[in-house]
Amino acid sequence: MAQLSSGHLSGLKVAVTGASGNVGTALLRALAKGGAAEVRGLARRQPPETEPYDGARWYLTDLSEPDSEQVLAEFLDGVDAVVHLAWALLPDRQPDLLHRVNVQGTERVLAAAGAAGVQHVVHMSSLGAYAAGPQERPIQEDWPITGIPSSTYSRQKSTCELAVQEFAATYPDTIVSVTRPTLVLQPEAASEIGRYFLGPYLFPLARLLPGEVARLLPLPLPGSLRISFVHAEDVADAIARILDRRAAGPFNLSASPVLDADGLARALGARRIPVPAVVLRTGMQAAFLAHVLQIEAGWLDMGLGIPPLDASRARTALDWRPAHKGDDLLREFVAALGRGQGGQGPLLFPGTGPEHTPA
């Protein structure tokens, strides 16, 4: 892998929304390593005065609120690039709130970037923007971005990509880049992600069960599952390369291997129990309605429907190679989850509550 030299972002002023979250924290470190001239971070809550947050100038606002437009104007004034990471995963039970944060928030960021004349806009999308398809062959960036209709997350990712396309057509002189990573993990975000997806009942259980006991528990998985992971540090590295090379267009980001149901169980050290997808979905939806799970069954539809990602464009155009293998990353993440590990930021800290937060 071609190594990025220290100082390769020298002179660049970069603004990052959602800068205290999973990818945001990793990106702040990458920008500091790259020697960015100025880094501005946008968040709802003030991060602590610790590394890497102490290297950014912070602006506090909630993108779901109209008055955030005033903060955005100041936030983007004079910057060379904006990386839009802010995204709310919860509450799934309030799709209107998620729409205000994610869709309207993205629209506000794009409008502010256009008004400020920002030269480069990087939008953090997801594999969730893609339509369903056969699982046998990984898809490239030209796959339809019409989403999975039953998933709120997927529908909103697709909607935001359409807004980005409209922005690019309106501002043809602006470089517009889109990252579409697969599931993004890092041990430092174990508590944050665990709270999101396991919820208030299962998350404490995951932390209490000894590793040996947890590995004996059955893991119900349908045979059609195909899934991969990518480390937040590798996503941040890709974004730094996009900024460095002023690379436009969409980029899939995924690390090998693609895990099937048996491979996922092996990586977790668990016993897989084969179960039809419809049975698992019914159980998930029942748990969601009973408030045992915080996430809707549409997440399973997305996981089973969207094909694996082909990241060859990032390898070719950015010289990007993930430093972390997906199965190793998953094992490290689960171990960190069991230890109750987290980071120092307001989102990554183990004691933070599961309210809606920019990711």
Side-chain angles (χ1 to χ4, degrees):
M1 177 175 67
Q3 296 294 317
L4 288 178
S5 61
S6 297
H8 65 281
L9 299 178
S10 178
L12 204 62
K13 296 181 180 180
V14 184
V16 183
T17 72
S20 61
N22 180 18
V23 176
T25 298
L27 182 57
L28 291 183
R29 293 194 175 103
L31 293 175
K33 178 183 177 182
E38 181 182 348
V39 178
R40 301 179 188 180
L42 187 79
R44 288 198 306 118
R45 290 174 289 182
Q46 178 69 45
E49 289 293 326
T50 58
E51 186 276 333
Y53 309 109
D54 57 356
R57 178 181 174 186
W58 288 95
Y59 296 75
L60 305 182
T61 193
D62 186 334
L63 290 177
S64 68
E65 300 295 335
D67 60 9
S68 66
E69 295 171 7
Q70 298 177 350
V71 178
L72 283 169
E74 181 182 356
F75 175 61
L76 297 180
D77 182 36
V79 302
D80 301 301
V82 57
V83 181
H84 179 43
L85 304 177
W87 192 270
L89 292 174
L90 296 177
D92 253 357
R93 304 177 199 285
Q94 300 180 44
D96 290 344
L97 174 58
L98 292 179
H99 180 87
R100 292 198 299 272
V101 177
N102 298 332
V103 177
Q104 294 181 1
T106 296
E107 292 170 348
R108 290 189 175 104
V109 171
L110 293 174
V118 178
Q119 300 171 10
H120 192 173
V121 172
V122 182
H123 173 68
M124 177 78 160
S125 188
S126 163
L127 87 164
Y130 284 122
Q135 300 292 305
E136 290 76 18
R137 187 176 64 180
I139 57 174
Q140 296 184 334
E141 288 83 357
D142 58 354
W143 192 259
I145 52 168
T146 50
I148 302 296
S150 59
S151 165
T152 300
Y153 173 87
S154 182
R155 292 195 308 271
Q156 292 182 353
K157 283 295 187 184
S158 175
T159 299
C160 287
E161 284 228 30
L162 295 179
V164 171
Q165 290 181 356
E166 183 177 342
F167 173 87
T170 304
Y171 297 94
D173 294 333
T174 301
I175 300 168
V176 178
S177 313
V178 175
T179 57
R180 296 176 186 153
T182 185
L183 300 179
V184 183
L185 302 179
Q186 63 172 318
E188 191 176 5
S191 290
E192 177 196 14
I193 296 173
R195 287 192 307 271
Y196 288 159
F197 288 96
L198 296 179
Y201 302 108
L202 299 179
F203 175 58
L205 182 63
R207 295 177 59 179
L208 289 174
L209 284 175
E212 295 78 7
V213 175
R215 283 191 288 270
L216 295 175
L217 296 177
L219 185 63
L221 293 174
S224 56
L225 181 66
R226 300 292 184 276
I227 194 168
S228 62
F229 304 91
V230 64
H231 200 292
E233 291 178 353
D234 289 323
V235 175
D237 176 62
I239 294 173
R241 292 168 183 270
I242 288 171
L243 293 171
D244 176 47
R245 301 182 183 208
R246 298 169 63 86
F251 293 93
N252 288 344
L253 302 175
S254 180
S256 62
V258 175
L259 299 172
D260 60 14
D262 291 325
L264 181 61
R266 284 194 298 271
L268 294 173
R271 293 188 303 116
R272 180 199 165 212
I273 302 298
V275 59
V278 64
V279 174
L280 183 57
R281 190 189 195 283
T282 300
M284 281 189 64
Q285 188 63 15
F288 177 70
L289 295 175
H291 291 253
V292 175
L293 281 180
Q294 296 189 112
I295 58 171
E296 62 183 5
W299 283 91
L300 178 63
D301 299 336
M302 187 173 62
L304 294 175
I306 299 173
L309 303 184
D310 180 342
S312 59
R313 181 169 191 259
R315 291 195 298 270
T316 301
L318 305 176
D319 289 330
W320 178 79
R321 301 290 189 280
H324 305 265
K325 290 186 59 181
D327 50 355
D328 292 339
L329 169 61
L330 179 60
R331 282 188 285 266
E332 293 168 4
F333 175 84
V334 172
L337 179 64
R339 295 191 298 266
Q341 186 174 330
Q344 293 298 312
L347 304 184
L348 306 186
F349 190 72
T352 305
E355 71 274 16
H356 83 276
T357 47

